[in-house]
């Protein structure tokens, strides 16, 4: 087993459950156990290390040029409830492998190399990407009610503010992550060069019909809101398949009222979620859904936009640099969007150029115990990360 695979298994197994999944929630005892373990490794590599006020791990390997901005690599150390070994932890241990290889080869970079292991990237009452949003100052801890939520984790608005860094000193941010989807595994391609993180747009869709007796109302006279909603979902699902091959559409939540066995549903409310890189595609898709709704008989539809997180593009120069590294090494790769959010969002949101590297998730499984990435892919992606850092250090971007 390679050094990186060994480290990943050691750190990634902290929080193992009886069913073999991993639970290492942000701010938990297991989380801090993993943090201390990785802190020790960073110190062995000669890094200056600290735990910041919100439980992020931060390490710096000094560079030779005091004027140079930092090359930053990061990811998260928390997992979801009953998650896997690889999500997040791959990026932190992969960054440590970069530092370890520099040491092996006796190289000192011109730029400082900073490594972040972020706290609570996974969704929680604090909102996703908590640790990285504190670091970039994207998080506003003074919004009403937030202090009480922070207190549940022994944290406070003061600590959240104290965690903010001067990110104008960051040259760029790189994140190495498992794909968490099935595109790479399905196509047999080894590396994904991430073009950006997709938009996530949510609509609350209400179908209105009429409640009535399930026994006495003949089929010809019904206004069944659930049937109308079902027709709309099927039409939207078919359209999503045709419109664009990276558009995804999900109805993960639906409520029917009055919700009784012997009453025709008078109302159905569903959440329509769509994800894509390109706003033109999600706009078109939404317009098509509205047009379908007008054609559905015996039902009126109402649409309310409840959330719109617009896409975050990766820096084109970093995309090219990672693409060049793969081409030079003869590694099969594609440029692809990320369907999931990442800590890189927080950096990009505050103006730091970001680049991301993906390796295949077997069968596209993530956020559960069966999450798996082959050891050879772990090492391959880390090599791409290492070569990218060397190129950045030598030639900039
Ligand atoms: Zn992750």
């Amino acid at each position: 087993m390679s050094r990186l695979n060994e480290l990943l298994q050691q750190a990634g197994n902290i929080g193992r459950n009886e069913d073999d999944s991993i639970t290492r929630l942000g701010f938990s005892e297991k989380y801090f156990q993993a943090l201390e373990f990785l802190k020790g490794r960073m110190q062995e590599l000669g890094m200056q290390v600290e735990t910041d006020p919100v439980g992020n791990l931060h390490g710096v390997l000094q560079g030779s040029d005091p004027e140079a901005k930092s090359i930053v690599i990061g990811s998260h150390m928390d997992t979801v409830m009953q998650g896997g070994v690889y999500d997040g932890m791959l990026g932190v241990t992969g960054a440590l492998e970069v530092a370890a290889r520099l040491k092996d080869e006796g190289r000192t970079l011109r730029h400082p190399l900073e490594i972040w292991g972020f706290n609570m990237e996974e969704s929680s009452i604090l909102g996703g990407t908590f640790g990285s949003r504190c670091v970039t100052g994207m998080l506003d801890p003074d919004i009403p009610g937030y202090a009480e939520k922070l207190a549940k984790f022994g944290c406070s608005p003061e600590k959240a503010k104290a965690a903010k860094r001067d990110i104008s000193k960051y040259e760029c941010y790189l994140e190495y992550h498992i794909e968490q989807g099935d595109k790479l595994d399905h196509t047999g391609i080894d590396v994904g060069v991430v073009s950006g993180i997709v938009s996530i747009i949510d609509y609350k869709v209400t179908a209105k019909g009429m409640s009535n007796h399930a026994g006495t109302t003949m089929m010809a006279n019904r206004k069944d809101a659930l049937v109308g909603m079902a027709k709309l979902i099927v039409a939207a699902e078919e359209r999503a398949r045709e419109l664009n091959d990276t558009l995804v559409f999900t109805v993960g939540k639906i409520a029917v009222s009055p919700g009784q066995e012997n009453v025709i549903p008078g109302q159905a409310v569903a959440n329509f979620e769509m994800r894509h890189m390109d706003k033109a595609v999600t706009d078109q898709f939404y317009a098509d859904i509205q047009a379908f709704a007008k054609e559905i008989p015996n039902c009126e539809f109402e649409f309310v936009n409840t959330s719109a997180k617009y896409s975050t593009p990766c820096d084109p120069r970093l995309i090219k640099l990672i693409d060049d590294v793969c081409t030079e090494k003869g590694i099969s790769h594609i440029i692809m969007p990320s369907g999931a959010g990442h800590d890189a969002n927080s950096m990009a949101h505050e103006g730091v150029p970001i680049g991301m590297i993906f390796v295949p998730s077997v069968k596209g499984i993530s956020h559960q115990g069966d999450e798996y990435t082959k050891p050879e892919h772990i090492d391959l992606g880390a090599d791409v990360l290492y070569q990218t850092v060397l190129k950045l250090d030598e030639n900039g971007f």
Side-chain angles (χ1 to χ4, degrees), residues 128-176:
T129 61
F130 167 75
S132 54
R133 286 187 299 131
C134 288
V135 167
T136 61
M138 185 182 167
L139 183 108
D140 175 8
D142 290 326
I143 49 173
Y146 203 73
E148 289 74 29
K149 290 178 182 170
L150 286 166
K152 289 199 167 86
F153 301 102
C155 199
S156 66
E158 292 67 40
K159 284 184 181 175
K161 285 177 198 167
K164 185 178 179 324
R165 295 285 167 141
D166 179 6
I167 55 168
S168 68
K169 295 194 179 117
Y170 287 1
E171 175 95 354
C172 62
Y173 173 85
L174 300 172
E175 187 161 349
Y176 173 34

Side-chain angles (χ1 to χ4, degrees), residues 226-282:
L226 181 58
V227 171
M229 181 63 86
K231 286 178 180 168
L232 185 61
I233 293 171
V234 170
E237 205 264 354
E238 281 171 3
R239 182 67 184 136
R241 288 167 190 271
E242 301 164 357
L243 190 60
N244 191 289
D245 67 352
T246 55
L247 172 68
V248 291
F249 165 70
T250 308
V251 178
K253 205 163 88 178
I254 188 162
V256 175
S257 64
Q260 287 178 36
E261 294 85 342
N262 57 357
V263 182
I264 298 165
Q267 183 170 288
V269 182
N271 188 77
F272 281 31
E273 186 201 85
M274 52 194 78
R275 301 187 185 207
H276 195 269
M277 268 308 285
D278 189 350
K279 187 171 182 296
V281 173
T282 48

Side-chain angles (χ1 to χ4, degrees), residues 75-76 78 87-88 121-122 175 177-178 180 341-343 367:
S75 198
H76 58 101
D78 64 316
D87 177 9
E121 185 266 353
E122 302 294 358
E175 187 161 349
H177 208 280
I178 54 167
Q180 302 180 279
H342 295 288
D343 291 302
H367 279 186

Side-chain angles (χ1 to χ4, degrees), residues 132-390:
S132 54
R133 286 187 299 131
C134 288
V135 167
T136 61
M138 185 182 167
L139 183 108
D140 175 8
D142 290 326
I143 49 173
Y146 203 73
E148 289 74 29
K149 290 178 182 170
L150 286 166
K152 289 199 167 86
F153 301 102
C155 199
S156 66
E158 292 67 40
K159 284 184 181 175
K161 285 177 198 167
K164 185 178 179 324
R165 295 285 167 141
D166 179 6
I167 55 168
S168 68
K169 295 194 179 117
Y170 287 1
E171 175 95 354
C172 62
Y173 173 85
L174 300 172
E175 187 161 349
Y176 173 34
H177 208 280
I178 54 167
E179 183 201 347
Q180 302 180 279
D182 58 6
K183 195 171 180 78
L184 294 175
D185 190 49
H186 198 73
T187 52
I189 293 169
D190 294 323
V191 167
V193 181
V194 180
S195 55
I197 297 160
V198 297
S199 297
I200 307 176
I201 319 278
D202 283 80
Y203 290 92
K204 180 182 166 192
V205 183
T206 306
K208 287 179 182 159
M210 196 166 46
S211 291
N212 212 333
H213 196 293
T216 59
T217 315
M218 290 300 105
M219 298 310 283
N221 302 323
R222 291 183 180 217
K223 291 184 176 172
D224 187 325
L226 181 58
V227 171
M229 181 63 86
K231 286 178 180 168
L232 185 61
I233 293 171
V234 170
E237 205 264 354
E238 281 171 3
R239 182 67 184 136
R241 288 167 190 271
E242 301 164 357
L243 190 60
N244 191 289
D245 67 352
T246 55
L247 172 68
V248 291
F249 165 70
T250 308
V251 178
K253 205 163 88 178
I254 188 162
V256 175
S257 64
Q260 287 178 36
E261 294 85 342
N262 57 357
V263 182
I264 298 165
Q267 183 170 288
V269 182
N271 188 77
F272 281 31
E273 186 201 85
M274 52 194 78
R275 301 187 185 207
H276 195 269
M277 268 308 285
D278 189 350
K279 187 171 182 296
V281 173
T282 48
D283 283 352
Q284 177 63 54
F285 183 49
Y286 176 54
D288 291 345
I289 291 173
Q290 284 182 304
F292 291 140
K294 290 204 177 79
E295 301 295 312
I296 294 170
N298 304 321
C299 226
E300 297 270 315
F301 287 91
E302 209 179 83
F303 295 84
V304 178
N305 179 217
T306 49
S307 167
K309 291 180 197 156
Y310 286 107
S311 57
T312 311
C314 289
D315 189 279
R317 298 164 298 177
L318 289 172
I319 296 172
K320 181 167 186 311
L321 195 70
I322 300 166
D323 186 62
D324 287 349
V325 166
C326 292
T327 306
E328 281 162 24
K329 294 216 122 198
I331 296 167
S332 68
H333 64 287
I334 43 165
I335 295 176
M336 60 179 290
S338 167
H342 295 288
D343 291 302
N345 279 51
S346 317
M347 292 289 167
H349 195 267
E350 300 306 313
V352 179
I354 61 163
M356 288 193 74
I357 298 162
F358 276 171
V359 283
S361 295
V362 172
K363 294 184 186 149
I365 295 169
S366 184
H367 279 186
Q368 56 146 300
D370 290 340
E371 185 178 272
Y372 181 67
T373 293
K374 291 178 186 158
E376 54 269 36
H377 281 140
I378 301 286
D379 290 329
L380 191 68
D383 188 40
V384 172
L385 179 65
Y386 182 66
Q387 303 300 337
T388 301
V389 169
L390 292 187

Side-chain angles (χ1 to χ4, degrees), residues 12-23:
N13 269 292
I14 297 173
R16 185 165 284 281
N17 301 310
E18 275 178 14
D19 67 358
D20 266 359
S21 64
I22 310 291
T23 301

